Amino acid sequence: MSGNADPRPAGEGTTSRTRLDRGRGALGPALELVHTGRAPTRAVLTAELGVTRATAGAVAAELEALGLIRVDARPGAAAGLQGRPSHRLSSVLDVNLGSVLRTTDALLEAGALRRDGRIVATAPGCEVVDPDPAKVLGSVVAAGAELLRETGRRCVGAGLAVPSAVAEPEGLALNPLHLAWPAGAPVREIFAEQVRAAGLDGPAFAANDVNLAALAEHRHGAGRGSRDLLCVATGHRGVGGALVLDGRLHTGSSGLALEVGHLAVNPDGRPCHCGSRGCLDVEADPLALLTAAGRDPGPEMSLLRQADDLIRGQYGDPRVRTATEQLIDRLGLGLAGLVNILNPDRIILGGLHRTLLEADPDRLRAVVADRSLWGRSGGVPILACTLDHNSLVGAAELAWQPVLDDPLGALA
């Protein structure tokens, strides 16, 4: 017998290959179902894909052979279930790098690795926000590359979360004001150059940090199961928004959709750096809360940490409560406008907005309902984001997307 001969009985190998050939188009969708936890068993995978059990089995076997999922043929029957239990499926992804730039007063957090929606390693990238993007991104990539070496993991791509609108297709950071970078900095090109210089394989991507937080929450956090997910969040400065439709980020014609920070919610409010007044960006971020509460921001910690600590520790102070309620009302007004336009089936809030929701959920939901055109829209669920480092997870998801789209092509 030749060393290359198929040892299976005549016809069996042909049948198996035919099943797999028919199922190759399902590899990407199947991997995404397993990766996001929507297909924990082969039986569920079969139903979700709408294929035969044999085809689903061939698809799962191929993904396992590529090292992308684990198939457990002996999971043990769940309590109360009869019959032979279906094979359990789980993602074994441990191959990509995510990096996040998150501004504090003088600190940038850096790259990390993500496995199955979880952060498995992090490292600081630099401690001073340099006005030269290349220096900052070089430091971030170096930290991520060192994590790869320490953990022995391979890399299929790198993603970068940027606290700025990122224009496509060029990958330009249009307004990185809080990073002191020039407007229009080519962050994706610089990031890709640094990734290549570090000897890392795979493509490099860059996107807005709130967009990536929304993507991560949709796949692994508070947004799971939502079809039309609206995410609004504030970090250390400013307010961002994102929309996930049918599992994909809605970024508009050039990557600039959902700039919710520049919705006017107080016509007589604070001047905004965009040239308008009373935008969410300056009426519902940590600096706005601290100012309204009569607190002078200190240099010892980030504005977000100071605002969070103020609400959680001193909510009984009348001035703090009044300031918090003021921000809740501003945020609710902005959310109601977005609900009227977008009609999402779920809203998730991150950063300080999550803390505002926790402080007085009834007030925020009442403002949104009162300002919404339709009763059903006003009743949209409003939840807190649940993932730690969700922008970082989202950056890794961005790098992972080509593998989800075409596992064979991306790993060839």
Side-chain angles (χ1 to χ4, degrees):
M1 177 183 290
S2 168
N4 293 326
D6 192 332
R8 290 168 292 187
E12 182 179 331
T14 301
T15 302
S16 178
R17 284 193 295 272
T18 300
R19 289 171 182 159
L20 181 55
D21 289 341
R22 290 175 179 170
R24 284 192 188 278
L27 287 176
L31 179 58
E32 182 167 344
L33 286 167
V34 177
H35 172 60
T36 57
R38 288 178 290 158
T41 69
R42 201 169 70 180
V44 176
L45 182 67
T46 302
E48 289 288 336
L49 292 177
V51 298
T52 66
R53 291 179 60 187
T55 297
V59 167
E62 178 74 357
L63 291 175
E64 185 177 36
L66 290 170
L68 297 173
I69 71 170
R70 180 180 295 110
V71 180
D72 184 357
R74 296 172 298 170
L81 296 181
Q82 297 180 349
R84 187 176 64 182
S86 178
H87 295 182
R88 295 200 62 82
L89 309 176
S90 58
S91 173
V92 294
L93 169 68
D94 59 358
V95 294
N96 56 309
L97 167 69
S99 301
V100 60
L101 305 180
R102 184 177 294 119
T103 54
T104 64
D105 292 322
L107 176 67
L108 281 174
E109 287 187 338
L113 294 168
R114 193 263 310 137
R115 182 178 187 271
D116 195 20
R118 298 188 296 271
I119 301 296
V120 298
T122 59
C126 58
E127 295 183 356
V128 178
V129 182
D130 195 283
D132 180 0
K135 291 183 180 179
V136 175
L137 297 184
S139 180
V140 167
V141 171
E146 180 60 27
L147 286 175
L148 285 168
R149 285 189 289 270
E150 291 176 358
T151 59
R153 301 177 188 273
R154 59 192 174 116
C155 179
V156 298
L160 177 70
V162 187
S164 164
V166 178
E168 296 298 342
E170 301 90 350
L172 309 178
L174 294 186
N175 59 339
L177 302 175
H178 307 306
L179 290 173
W181 289 354
V187 291
R188 188 174 63 211
E189 179 182 340
I190 296 171
F191 184 56
E193 290 173 351
Q194 297 293 342
V195 167
R196 288 193 296 270
L200 300 178
D201 295 326
F205 305 91
N208 171 261
D209 56 352
V210 179
N211 275 353
L212 297 181
L215 182 63
E217 292 285 346
H218 183 269
R219 291 182 175 176
H220 305 289
R224 288 182 66 176
S226 171
R227 176 168 177 170
D228 302 301
L229 177 68
L230 172 64
C231 175
V232 177
T234 177
H236 304 287
R237 292 293 305 276
V239 174
L243 184 66
V244 181
L245 301 176
D246 289 329
R248 293 290 185 268
L249 281 169
H250 174 71
T251 56
S253 61
S254 56
L256 306 178
L258 272 292
E259 276 293 310
V260 304
H262 300 292
L263 284 174
V265 293
N266 183 14
D268 299 320
R270 300 175 177 86
C272 181
H273 55 79
C274 73
S276 185
R277 300 185 71 90
C279 297
L280 270 178
D281 229 34
V282 293
E283 295 287 337
D285 78 339
L287 183 59
L289 177 81
L290 295 169
T291 301
R295 303 300 199 270
D296 293 325
E300 67 279 359
M301 64 179 69
S302 73
L303 294 175
L304 176 59
R305 175 72 179 275
Q306 293 178 62
D308 275 345
D309 289 351
L310 186 64
I311 293 175
R312 293 191 170 108
Q314 301 183 47
Y315 193 57
D317 183 315
R319 192 166 184 181
V320 173
R321 180 182 289 272
T322 298
T324 302
E325 291 175 346
Q326 176 180 298
L327 255 72
I328 289 173
D329 291 347
R330 299 279 190 258
L331 175 60
L333 182 60
L335 291 178
L338 293 167
V339 165
N340 290 336
I341 295 170
L342 302 173
N343 189 32
D345 61 16
R346 192 178 309 175
I347 299 171
I348 57 173
L349 302 178
L352 180 63
H353 295 163
R354 175 172 59 182
T355 309
L356 294 175
L357 175 65
E358 293 168 351
D360 197 339
D362 292 338
R363 185 184 186 96
L364 179 59
R365 293 182 176 117
V367 173
V368 174
D370 289 345
R371 295 282 185 160
S372 298
L373 290 173
W374 321 111
R376 288 179 63 86
S377 295
V380 59
I382 303 176
L383 307 175
C385 290
T386 58
L387 296 179
D388 292 330
H389 305 292
N390 52 17
S391 292
L392 184 55
V393 174
E397 288 290 339
L398 191 65
W400 176 232
Q401 190 61 49
V403 181
L404 290 178
D405 293 337
D406 182 11
L408 287 174
L411 298 179

